[in-house]
Amino acid sequence: MRRRTFLSTLPAGALLAGAGGATASTAPRPVPAAPPRQTPPADPYAGVGPGDRNSGLQFVSRSTVWGQHGAAATAHPRATLIGIDILRRGGSAIDAAIAINAALGFLEPTANGIGGDAFCLMWDPAQRKVVGLNGSGNSPRGLSLETARSKKAEDGYLPPYGAVTVNVPGTVDAWWSAHQRYGKLPWKDVLLPVAELCEEGVPMPQLIAWYLQRNMANFDRRAAIIEENDNRKKIYAPDGRTPAVGEVFANPDLGRTYRMIAEGGRDAFYDGPIADHIERYFRRIGGWLTRADMAPHRTEWVEPVRTDYRGVDVYGLGPNTQGLSTNQILNICEQFDLRGMGFQSAASIHHQAEAKRLAFEDRAKWFADERFSRTPVEYLNSKAYAAERARLIRPDRVMDRAFPGDAPTQGDTTYFSVADRDGMMVSWIQSNYRGMGSGLVSDGPDGGTLGFMFQDRGELFNLNDGHPNVYAPAKRPFHTIIPGCACRDGEPWMAMGVMGGGMQPQGQAQIIINMVDYGLDPQEAGDAPRWQHEGSSEPTGHPAEGVGVLHLETGVPAASKAQLEAMGWVLGGPNGGFGGYQNVVRQANARGPWTWGAASEMRKDGLALAY
């Protein structure tokens, strides 16, 4: 080591002592007392806020991106790039959506995959209307209510994992049905690049790595209720641990399954070799899903439920989804001057959260498979009913308890947005339900697996006789996943969604309110602090828990938190449940053609791009 370099490594005190050694007195010096030892803070970054932006609102993480020809916003950068590549090759927004969803099943297995269901809202420029797609599957025909009850957990409800929660996966047929109507590229050309990606592998991003480790730990803790545990470990923890951040993760088994679907279409999955593997697997572990359950499955094209919120047409999917809840929250909020109350004020958050509580009581009472029980959708979606419900909200204190209305009787998730040069906008959501799903990964060819996990959506069935959502064979359970879509003046405006269980209608309503009432742009609306209320009654039969807990993100002003607490709200801090948001908007411009804007979620690993 050179002397200069060596000296630069010494403490300043040592240098001073050395410099003064030739002239200093030889008398002993008093030894200074050692400074008190300081305990480092638990969080060394506590109290540190974001950097400053030169333009726009200071809480925003980035700007909305803009393009003329197409846009995509997803929960993983590589999935967004795949979608943009499909669009640049001449594919439609549906082609891009299928490729994105297939890619996310590999890239983000903690939120989705072909073992789950899918739903879509889209603006069809040829018909000039919003159309809906319900890609949810039935429960097994051979699983009776009595058997389902025999598998209930200690709390009396269906368990979170295991074969009793598995329904027919609807995603692949949803892809196929959408491609048959709106695809431009050949089916193979949409899926084969994703199969190659699965085989090649990608580095693991931060949040997905965190979720994957948590999911596998949860499965390990509940392994006794999961009929088979080895296959999931082969895929997601092959050497006894999940991939760390930055490590390359590959899933060649899923790539092989995608190749079979690319060659054989939806029949390869539902009535061919993949279905055969699935049936043999569930027979081996003592489950119920069979090829006879899967072969007749078909996606439904449905008419969306619409409401007007201050001049904006907001669309959702009706039961068996919770899309109507978004409309109900907005219909109730429309009765109040939220803008006058102020952005992120206690009054604004209070009225929004109370609207949620009222809407979710109707959700718990009514929402189910429409083929088994009719929900009074028109009445629940009406402005008259919303005005009646709004009168129950007190401006200065929380309701002691929320009840469902007396309507007349009539009988982890991924989300992404895509738009193309022809004006088609796609709002797509897909999920395995609770995190990664049931914990079950099917055997596959040659001693391998099929590379994907089955959903545990069946957990959302009710076990009580007479409830609309009570379990029955060949029935679809209540679904939480909902895409969002909005139009203005008869023109498409945005395809957006907020993923995350019961957070979805709450989050969608907050995005609409942020943009309509408070004038935020797509990225600002998503980055704004969110609230989430938990503790409402559930379609599973779980009762309300008092006034519940109102969770608030850190950025909600302290004064608002204090006022909400004084109103009687039980407040909770950030709990990781504020959802994941993506949005693509169509902007009409005074000069020149319309353009696409895209926004992504700072709470996820995602990316929005436009070109």
Side-chain angles (χ1 to χ4, degrees), residues 46-70:
V48 179
D52 296 324
R53 288 172 56 84
N54 293 328
S55 175
L57 301 176
Q58 290 303 306
F59 62 77
V60 181
S61 62
R62 70 199 95 171
S63 303
T64 300
V65 298
W66 294 94
Q68 287 181 267
H69 308 296

Side-chain angles (χ1 to χ4, degrees), residues 121 123 129-130 304-307 313-317 323 326-327 483-487 508:
L121 286 171
W123 172 263
K129 62 179 290 189
V130 176
V305 180
R306 184 193 68 83
T307 193
D313 290 321
V314 180
Y315 293 84
L317 293 177
T326 302
N327 291 17
C485 190
C487 297
Q508 285 190 10

Side-chain angles (χ1 to χ4, degrees), residues 74-116:
T74 86
H76 194 290
R78 194 68 177 267
T80 302
L81 289 170
I82 285 172
I84 294 293
D85 183 59
I86 291 286
L87 295 175
R88 291 173 66 91
R89 287 164 49 198
S92 68
I94 281 294
D95 290 325
I98 295 167
I100 287 170
N101 197 178
L104 287 169
F106 161 57
L107 298 166
E108 192 190 20
T110 53
N112 74 122
I114 57 173

Side-chain angles (χ1 to χ4, degrees), residues 117-146:
D117 291 339
F119 296 86
C120 170
L121 286 171
M122 60 173 294
W123 172 263
D124 181 339
Q127 297 186 69
R128 292 197 53 77
K129 62 179 290 189
V130 176
V131 298
L133 180 153
N134 181 329
S136 60
N138 295 336
S139 57
R141 299 180 184 185
L143 176 60
S144 67
L145 174 59
E146 292 71 26

Side-chain angles (χ1 to χ4, degrees), residues 269-593:
F269 188 85
Y270 293 95
D271 200 15
I274 298 173
D276 287 337
H277 284 293
I278 291 171
E279 179 171 310
R280 285 194 294 270
Y281 174 71
F282 280 99
R283 188 185 304 127
R284 175 171 80 83
I285 68 171
W288 297 272
L289 193 62
T290 67
R291 179 169 174 167
D293 292 316
M294 297 184 63
H297 171 77
R298 293 294 184 274
T299 298
E300 283 190 62
W301 291 94
V302 296
E303 190 70 26
V305 180
R306 184 193 68 83
T307 193
D308 175 279
Y309 182 73
R310 308 194 202 279
V312 173
D313 290 321
V314 180
Y315 293 84
L317 293 177
N320 57 319
T321 83
Q322 60 178 340
L324 179 58
S325 296
T326 302
N327 291 17
Q328 288 189 270
I329 294 170
L330 291 172
N331 285 342
I332 295 171
C333 286
E334 193 178 34
Q335 310 299 315
F336 304 101
D337 180 14
L338 298 185
R339 182 178 181 85
M341 294 176 186
F343 179 59
Q344 294 290 322
S345 69
S348 179
I349 295 172
H350 168 73
H351 285 81
Q352 293 177 55
E354 291 285 56
K356 176 267 180 185
R357 291 179 67 203
L358 291 168
F360 269 47
E361 292 305 312
D362 289 333
R363 166 183 176 264
K365 179 179 179 179
W366 296 107
F367 291 10
D369 188 342
E370 288 280 270
R371 301 170 303 176
F372 287 74
S373 177
R374 301 295 296 173
T375 303
V377 172
E378 184 175 350
Y379 185 84
L380 296 175
N381 193 44
S382 69
K383 299 294 185 181
Y385 181 65
E388 174 188 320
R389 300 290 273 167
R391 285 194 288 271
L392 299 174
I393 298 177
R394 295 175 287 192
D396 58 344
R397 59 177 293 191
V398 66
M399 291 180 290
D400 296 325
R401 185 173 176 190
F403 293 92
D406 293 324
T409 302
Q410 299 181 4
D412 273 60
T413 302
T414 197
Y415 173 82
F416 55 89
S417 307
V418 193
D420 63 28
R421 66 175 67 243
D422 296 326
M424 180 180 291
M425 300 181 73
V426 174
S427 178
W428 192 285
I429 196 160
Q430 202 264 302
S431 170
N432 286 0
Y433 182 50
R434 183 185 290 273
M436 296 180 70
S438 63
L440 299 171
V441 174
S442 176
D443 304 329
D446 304 324
T449 75
L450 292 180
F452 65 88
M453 188 174 290
F454 292 96
Q455 64 185 352
D456 55 352
R457 186 64 60 177
E459 182 194 350
L460 287 176
F461 276 118
N462 192 304
L463 293 178
N464 298 316
D465 289 329
H467 191 280
N469 190 43
V470 65
Y471 177 83
K475 182 178 180 179
R476 297 179 300 199
F478 163 75
H479 258 274
T480 55
I481 56 175
I482 50 172
C485 190
C487 297
R488 287 194 301 194
D489 303 321
E491 297 292 335
W493 182 27
M494 61 180 170
M496 66 90 188
V498 178
M499 60 195 88
M503 180 63 196
Q504 294 176 59
Q506 304 179 60
Q508 285 190 10
Q510 288 175 68
I511 296 299
I512 295 288
I513 289 167
N514 284 345
M515 296 181 72
V516 174
D517 291 278
Y518 298 114
L520 304 189
D521 75 18
Q523 190 65 49
E524 294 167 348
D527 283 351
R530 292 187 195 141
W531 58 265
Q532 180 203 20
H533 179 265
E534 291 184 328
S536 294
S537 301
E538 293 291 337
T540 56
H542 288 78
E545 302 169 4
V547 300
V549 178
L550 182 62
H551 293 277
L552 301 173
E553 286 197 301
T554 305
V556 174
S560 297
K561 293 177 181 177
Q563 291 171 35
L564 287 165
E565 201 161 28
M567 291 177 179
W569 287 102
V570 177
L571 299 186
N575 64 350
F578 295 96
Y581 157 80
Q582 318 289 342
N583 196 353
V584 168
V585 299
R586 180 183 186 271
Q587 177 172 290
N589 297 299
R591 292 183 293 183

Side-chain angles (χ1 to χ4, degrees), residues 27-293:
R29 296 181 180 180
V31 179
R37 178 176 295 179
Q38 295 183 348
T39 303
D43 180 0
Y45 309 111
V48 179
D52 296 324
R53 288 172 56 84
N54 293 328
S55 175
L57 301 176
Q58 290 303 306
F59 62 77
V60 181
S61 62
R62 70 199 95 171
S63 303
T64 300
V65 298
W66 294 94
Q68 287 181 267
H69 308 296
T74 86
H76 194 290
R78 194 68 177 267
T80 302
L81 289 170
I82 285 172
I84 294 293
D85 183 59
I86 291 286
L87 295 175
R88 291 173 66 91
R89 287 164 49 198
S92 68
I94 281 294
D95 290 325
I98 295 167
I100 287 170
N101 197 178
L104 287 169
F106 161 57
L107 298 166
E108 192 190 20
T110 53
N112 74 122
I114 57 173
D117 291 339
F119 296 86
C120 170
L121 286 171
M122 60 173 294
W123 172 263
D124 181 339
Q127 297 186 69
R128 292 197 53 77
K129 62 179 290 189
V130 176
V131 298
L133 180 153
N134 181 329
S136 60
N138 295 336
S139 57
R141 299 180 184 185
L143 176 60
S144 67
L145 174 59
E146 292 71 26
T147 301
R149 282 174 172 159
S150 74
K151 299 291 183 179
K152 65 185 179 183
E154 293 179 359
D155 61 4
Y157 302 95
L158 283 166
Y161 306 127
V164 73
T165 68
V166 176
N167 297 328
V168 173
T171 296
V172 172
D173 190 70
W175 295 350
W176 182 261
S177 299
H179 187 266
Q180 292 295 296
R181 282 197 183 190
Y182 298 107
K184 287 186 176 182
L185 298 180
W187 175 254
K188 288 183 183 180
D189 292 356
V190 174
L191 287 182
L192 286 179
V194 183
E196 293 173 1
L197 183 71
C198 296
E199 295 155 356
E200 171 190 336
V202 294
M204 182 64 67
Q206 179 182 2
L207 280 172
I208 296 174
W210 183 76
Y211 280 119
L212 184 58
Q213 190 279 328
R214 283 169 58 92
N215 272 269
M216 294 299 284
N218 286 337
F219 291 138
D220 289 341
R221 281 192 291 270
R222 305 295 295 275
I225 67 170
I226 304 173
E227 289 82 354
E228 189 276 321
N229 290 280
D230 292 336
N231 285 352
R232 65 175 171 86
K233 295 178 182 179
K234 290 179 185 177
I235 298 297
Y236 304 111
D239 56 357
R241 66 171 180 85
T242 56
V245 176
E247 289 184 339
V248 174
F249 168 70
N251 189 346
D253 284 0
L254 181 59
R256 177 171 54 187
T257 298
Y258 282 164
R259 288 185 182 277
M260 286 191 281
I261 298 170
E263 294 294 332
R266 57 89 57 203
D267 287 345
F269 188 85
Y270 293 95
D271 200 15
I274 298 173
D276 287 337
H277 284 293
I278 291 171
E279 179 171 310
R280 285 194 294 270
Y281 174 71
F282 280 99
R283 188 185 304 127
R284 175 171 80 83
I285 68 171
W288 297 272
L289 193 62
T290 67
R291 179 169 174 167
D293 292 316

